[in-house]
């Protein structure tokens, strides 16, 4: 069984475009390759959007070399990118954008949600791509809540939504470049669960709300904190001390160098400079679209 290696917490709230409050839970700038293949995780909200006819969000910006995954818990988000991908996602939905060789995209509250206003909450995290895939075609996946397997525990209100990877006999709908497990988990107080993770995996739990403890009984993890598990051992046993909602991430590290500047994550400084040159040359406007 994997044990708790360390916890990480950041209480500073800030704005990402018009999304406020936003919490930077972790990033490779702080933790380096310790979290590979994951790069960062931001928790947007919980917040409230006042009714408006403005399209608030994040204006057009580029990405290259990695994937962005957004999980919606409340509100509606509209995505548009230069590969032709996009759409509106709402509560329970997920968007999985593979920037790869390069995209320009915008992320805004949907028109209908902007006019009505209301509560919003979402998590966005980035997954690095292996060097061999960084310059492949861009891809966009809009994953509806109804298509995400939801596994309920016997005689309990606990459940696991399988976004990517496998849990029990269910496989998540997300297509990934490397094997990765992404689970959205709800545990009532007193519930205990064992989630799958392989030896050598980078395994991260982000506790969106509640309080958790890991087996053997160790440090208690408070809400809006990250728990990093040891790479040794298999599987993670979690006990909810309160009603808890968490995001479970687990994957083999890439063990490749990370060079990042702004919205680009590559393997060398020369590749970062090339990304800026390609952006200036307009090569991000119409990248190829994967089948």
């Amino acid at each position: 069984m994997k044990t708790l290696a360390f916890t990480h917490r950041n209480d500073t709230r800030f704005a990402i475009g018009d999304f406020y409050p936003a919490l930077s839970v972790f990033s490779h700038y702080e933790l380096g390759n310790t979290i590979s293949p994951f790069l960062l995780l931001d928790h947007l909200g919980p917040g409230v959007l006042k009714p408006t006819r403005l399209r608030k969000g994040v204006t057009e910006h580029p990405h290259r070399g990695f994937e962005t995954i957004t999980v919606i818990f409340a509100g509606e988000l509209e995505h548009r990118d230069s590969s032709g991908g996009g759409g509106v996602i709402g509560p329970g939905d997920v968007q999985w954008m593979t920037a790869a060789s390069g995209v320009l995209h915008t992320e805004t509250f949907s028109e209908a949600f902007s006019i009505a206003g209301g509560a919003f909450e979402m998590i966005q995290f980035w997954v690095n791509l292996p060097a061999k895939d960084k310059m492949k075609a861009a891809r966009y996946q809009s994953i509806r809540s109804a298509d995400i397997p939801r596994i309920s525990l016997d005689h309990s209100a606990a459940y696991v939504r399988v976004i990517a990877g496998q849990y029990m006999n269910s496989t998540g709908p997300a297509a990934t470049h490397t094997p990765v497990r992404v689970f959205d988990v709800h545990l009532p107080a007193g519930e205990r669960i064992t989630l799958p993770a392989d030896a050598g995996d980078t395994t991260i739990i982000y506790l969106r709300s509640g309080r958790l403890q890991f087996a053997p009984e160790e440090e208690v993890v408070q809400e809006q904190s990250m728990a990093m598990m040891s790479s040794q051992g298999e599987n993670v046993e979690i006990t909810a001390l309160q009603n808890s909602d968490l995001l479970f991430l687990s994957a083999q590290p890439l063990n490749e160098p990370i060079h990042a500047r702004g919205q680009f994550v590559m393997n060398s400084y020369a590749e970062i400079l090339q990304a800026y040159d390609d952006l200036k040359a307009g090569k991000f406007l119409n990248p190829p679209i994967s089948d």
Side-chain angles (χ1 to χ4, degrees):
M1 195 72 65
K2 291 183 180 292
T3 57
L4 180 65
F6 64 85
T7 60
H8 182 75
R9 183 179 178 88
N10 182 0
D11 290 322
T12 303
R13 267 65 177 177
F14 62 103
I16 300 177
D18 294 316
F19 297 114
Y20 181 86
L23 175 66
S24 176
V25 178
F26 65 80
S27 81
H28 63 92
Y29 289 111
E30 301 169 286
L31 300 175
N33 260 320
T34 303
I35 57 173
S36 176
F38 308 107
L39 292 166
L40 62 77
L41 186 148
D42 292 334
H43 186 176
L44 283 63
V48 175
L49 176 68
K50 294 181 179 179
T52 177
R53 291 194 174 274
L54 299 176
R55 299 304 303 276
K56 292 190 172 184
V58 179
T59 56
E60 186 176 80
H61 58 283
H63 289 303
R64 171 178 280 183
F66 60 96
E67 302 180 290
T68 69
I69 299 92
T70 308
V71 185
I72 306 291
F73 301 102
E76 283 188 346
L77 186 69
E78 183 171 353
H79 170 100
R80 289 285 179 262
D81 70 50
S82 56
S83 77
V88 175
I89 57 172
D93 297 341
V94 175
Q95 70 176 24
W96 196 296
M97 187 189 78
T98 304
S101 58
V103 294
L104 295 168
H105 79 141
T106 60
E107 295 170 292
T108 61
F109 291 114
S110 72
E111 182 177 10
F113 180 70
S114 296
I115 293 171
F120 70 88
E121 182 180 7
M122 60 194 79
I123 287 175
Q124 184 175 100
F125 62 98
W126 295 5
V127 178
N128 204 2
L129 288 171
K132 66 181 180 62
D133 294 333
K134 284 185 177 291
M135 293 302 291
K136 287 188 174 180
R139 178 175 65 191
Y140 177 80
Q141 301 173 71
S142 182
I143 304 171
R144 297 300 174 187
S145 179
D147 297 324
I148 298 173
R150 175 172 164 154
I151 314 304
S152 298
L153 274 64
D154 291 340
H155 313 296
S156 170
Y159 61 80
V160 177
R161 293 202 316 141
V162 187
I163 297 168
Q166 190 170 43
Y167 177 70
M168 294 187 176
N169 295 319
S170 295
T171 300
T176 65
H177 281 264
T178 55
V180 57
R181 294 182 177 99
V182 179
F183 303 156
D184 174 28
V185 183
H186 172 72
L187 297 176
E191 188 68 43
R192 180 172 295 178
I193 191 173
T194 299
L195 296 174
D198 298 328
D201 271 7
T202 297
T203 303
I204 298 171
I205 292 93
Y206 173 58
L207 181 57
R208 190 161 58 92
S209 63
R211 293 174 71 228
L212 296 179
Q213 195 169 46
F214 299 95
E217 275 59 34
E218 296 180 357
E219 181 179 348
V220 172
V221 178
Q222 306 292 343
E223 68 180 8
Q224 299 190 348
S225 295
M226 158 201 174
M228 180 79 177
M229 308 307 293
S230 65
S231 61
Q232 297 180 347
E234 297 180 346
N235 305 329
V236 179
E237 185 176 295
I238 302 172
T239 301
L241 303 180
Q242 297 176 348
N243 292 345
S244 297
D245 292 287
L246 62 101
L247 191 69
F248 179 87
L249 309 173
S250 191
Q252 285 285 312
L254 295 180
N255 295 319
E256 295 177 351
I258 297 174
H259 283 262
R261 292 293 186 279
Q263 310 300 325
F264 307 139
V265 182
M266 304 301 289
N267 297 110
S268 70
Y269 184 60
E271 290 173 324
I272 294 292
L273 295 179
Q274 186 63 55
Y276 280 108
D277 287 344
D278 289 347
L279 179 64
K280 291 177 184 177
K283 295 182 179 180
F284 281 36
L285 292 179
N286 293 292
I289 304 173
S290 294
D291 292 334

